Amino acid sequence: MTMHTSVSSSPLGPPACEKDAKALQFIEEMTRNVDSVQQKVLAEILSQNANTEYLQRFKLGGAMDRDTFKSKMPIVTYEEIQHDIQRIANGDRSPIFSSHPISEFLTSSGTSAGERKLMPTTQDELDRKQLLYSLLMPVMNLYVPGLDKGKGLYFLFIKAETKTPSGLLARPVLTSYYKSDHFKTRPYDPYNVYTSPNEAVLCVDSFQSMYSQMLCGLLMREQVLRLGAVFASGLLRAIHFLQLNWQQLAKDIASGILNPRVSDPSIRECISKILKPNHELAEFIIKECEKQNWEGIITRIWPNTKYLDVIVTGAMAQYIPTLDYYSGGLPKACTMYASSECYFGLNLNPMCKPSEVCYTIMPNMCYYEFIPHDSTNPRDSPPRLVDLANVEVGKEYELVITTYAGLCRYRVGDILQVTGFHNSAPQFKFIRRKNVLLSIDSDKTDEAELQNAVDSAAAILRLYNTSVVEYTSYADTKTIPGHYVIYYELLIKDPTNSPSHEVLNQCCLAMEECLNSVYRQCRVADNSIGPLEIRVVENGTFEELMDYAISRGASINQYKAPRCVNFTPIVELLDSRVISVHFSATAPHWTPERQRLQV
């Protein structure tokens, strides 16, 4: 009983059950002595990997203290360690980064020369991830009582996986987790029961997976207490799927016979156990879905939903108004902060407003350092790195991590702002990914990639004596799925040979072919991004844009056209000058085989 007493008196509040008590106690212990935990983590990592080629290359000499580590080990980007990662991918089994064998590669949605980054990982990293997952529901139970009385409707998906030349798997971090025994043979937890059977989650065919997960969610509509997907875009895609498929879903429910398009035998078997003719439910779904108005559809169909469990920070914030429309403004819980490289922390106040989401960093996950992010700071001055315990409230930092799997002083590319502390653990607001211009789903397009794509389209236009005077872009998330919009101002030098509508459609596809493989996978395999759109604007539009910016205080000497716009008045100005609209007629090329594994 003493455990209950100590936890209930903690700032987090009284636990829902004995298991939760232990988890909340663990959070309290970890966040009380952040600096000593961090010193221990660094010593463990350096001791475990002391004989690796990477640490020996910089003559660390078995040292495990912070000062030696900081004086000898360089801060690196992916490009600087890519050659060593490629050696592992090609079959080098010597301990390059980690003394433990590399079990697989996690593919990061950050891009490296247009391709996914390969992050080496080890088997025991799954245990660390599982530990962080195990803390999420105990925190949620403090805010939302009774989650053991129903189920969660979560739309979870795996993505295509590939193999490196040496035979190691390369796949996204969530695909790795869902296919692991940690997920597949997880013990029963009344607070964490899903409507989706594992078979549906683990089906690589996106239609069959979504269809069967939606069907199960409809069959158990009264029991659903929370709806979720990893990203806000994924939950909206599920609602859009319902808009397109409700008639067939209702037909299956009325007849008790599963749509033949769901051909996966394991899914058919597990759904046959729960799908029985139910005319009343089928009629209810028809009545709700045939209305033109889909406002509040989530609470109309799943009336007991208490919150949505989705990431709505960073680029996903653009989906908040649409989620509010479909859910009648249900709370949106962002529960954790993680990346392909490592899992970092959790939100101790998950029911807060999206704009107030901050993540408490768990100091046991890896060793953290922070580069003060100051846009006025000259780039050539060496960055002064700050430890986790020494960050300051209100300041922005770029995250640098050293992991058990062997990443050493690695720049993740996330910009974070310190909002406060829980005990001595800093809490961070996710500000943005460094250098990312456009994002709809898990894609990240930077300015260089966009310029490259525009150059590719410009090469087609040159054949018609036409050039791109100026361009900007916009992630349009009002459509489902969202899509990239590129505004072009063109100079047509020979009106008798101007590019036709079809030629500009070709320009859309040429741009898509130049974008990275994550974009193309989202576009082709996941259908989570729609066709790219070019909107041609009247001549003089970008001068108007400059005038507008100057009227709001921009300096005429330093003004350059923004390569991405999201400020509503600017988007409205551009849209009011559009003279023609064009889309990719076909999808770009994408294949799960790694086309460019060799560096």
Side-chain angles (χ1 to χ4, degrees), residues 511-522:
M511 287 189 71
E512 290 198 302
E513 292 289 6
C514 279
L515 295 173
N516 61 64
S517 64
V518 184
Y519 172 91
R520 287 178 284 116
Q521 178 174 352
C522 288

Side-chain angles (χ1 to χ4, degrees), residues 67-371:
D67 292 344
T68 313
F69 170 75
K70 290 189 176 209
S71 65
K72 299 206 169 188
M73 300 307 297
I75 299 147
V76 296
T77 61
Y78 183 78
E79 286 65 33
E80 289 164 293
I81 55 171
Q82 191 168 9
H83 174 71
D84 289 315
I85 287 174
Q86 196 58 50
R87 286 167 55 201
I88 303 169
N90 290 343
D92 189 330
R93 289 281 179 270
S94 61
I96 296 173
F97 293 115
S98 167
S99 61
H100 292 186
I102 300 302
S103 53
E104 62 180 322
F105 286 103
L106 302 176
T107 55
S108 164
S109 56
T111 60
S112 168
E115 287 302 311
R116 286 182 182 275
K117 294 176 181 171
L118 293 174
M119 292 295 162
T121 191
T122 57
Q123 199 58 45
D124 62 332
E125 277 296 283
L126 270 170
D127 298 333
R128 255 179 289 281
K129 287 172 187 160
Q130 184 57 44
L131 174 63
L132 195 63
Y133 279 126
S134 74
L135 305 176
L136 302 181
M137 285 313 293
V139 171
M140 186 55 77
N141 291 338
L142 296 172
Y143 292 88
V144 186
L147 290 175
D148 55 335
K149 307 291 189 285
K151 299 183 179 183
L153 168 49
Y154 281 78
F155 296 97
L156 308 175
F157 303 95
I158 61 166
K159 295 198 174 185
E161 52 190 40
T162 56
K163 283 194 171 167
T164 63
S166 66
L168 281 175
L169 280 173
R171 55 193 181 180
V173 62
L174 288 170
T175 299
S176 163
Y177 177 69
Y178 297 146
K179 293 183 95 168
S180 74
D181 288 337
H182 285 85
F183 178 80
K184 289 196 290 191
T185 60
R186 61 194 183 277
Y188 174 77
D189 174 358
Y191 290 93
N192 216 358
V193 180
Y194 297 147
T195 54
S196 298
N198 286 0
E199 291 83 352
V201 173
L202 296 170
C203 175
V204 77
D205 181 286
S206 61
F207 175 86
Q208 294 186 58
S209 177
M210 177 76 89
Y211 191 94
S212 46
Q213 291 189 61
M214 182 62 79
L215 181 63
C216 292
L218 292 170
L219 291 171
M220 302 176 209
R221 62 178 282 268
E222 301 280 357
Q223 299 167 56
V224 170
L225 301 181
R226 54 205 170 110
L227 256 81
V230 178
F231 294 120
S233 53
L235 187 53
L236 289 175
R237 215 159 64 245
I239 299 303
H240 186 57
F241 185 90
L242 181 62
Q243 283 180 313
L244 296 175
N245 295 284
W246 61 265
Q247 286 160 304
Q248 182 62 50
L249 286 156
K251 184 180 166 194
D252 291 12
I253 291 166
S255 65
I257 299 164
L258 180 59
N259 183 347
R261 274 186 74 185
V262 181
S263 56
D264 184 305
S266 63
I267 294 181
R268 293 194 72 84
E269 186 187 343
C270 64
I271 286 189
S272 69
K273 293 172 185 160
I274 57 166
L275 180 61
K276 304 287 182 276
N278 186 336
H279 292 283
E280 193 183 335
L281 176 58
E283 279 167 28
F284 168 80
I285 290 161
I286 292 165
K287 183 166 74 69
E288 289 301 333
C289 294
E290 69 185 357
K291 296 173 187 170
Q292 290 303 303
N293 177 16
W294 275 59
E295 189 170 355
I297 191 70
I298 289 175
T299 43
R300 278 158 41 194
I301 290 189
W302 295 282
N304 300 316
T305 311
K306 296 171 187 268
Y307 67 95
L308 306 178
D309 189 345
V310 283
I311 293 170
V312 287
T313 50
M316 291 295 134
Q318 58 196 352
Y319 296 105
I320 292 169
T322 320
L323 281 173
D324 283 341
Y325 175 81
Y326 285 127
S327 73
L330 278 175
K332 287 158 283 297
C334 293
T335 55
M336 68 185 282
Y337 171 39
S339 76
S340 307
E341 295 88 349
C342 187
Y343 283 18
F344 304 125
L346 66 165
N347 182 357
L348 294 181
N349 183 15
M351 299 301 274
C352 67
K353 288 188 202 144
S355 60
E356 292 166 11
V357 169
C358 61
Y359 301 102
T360 303
I361 296 290
M362 292 301 285
N364 57 310
M365 300 304 289
C366 68
Y367 182 67
Y368 304 90
E369 295 175 271
F370 298 87
I371 302 174

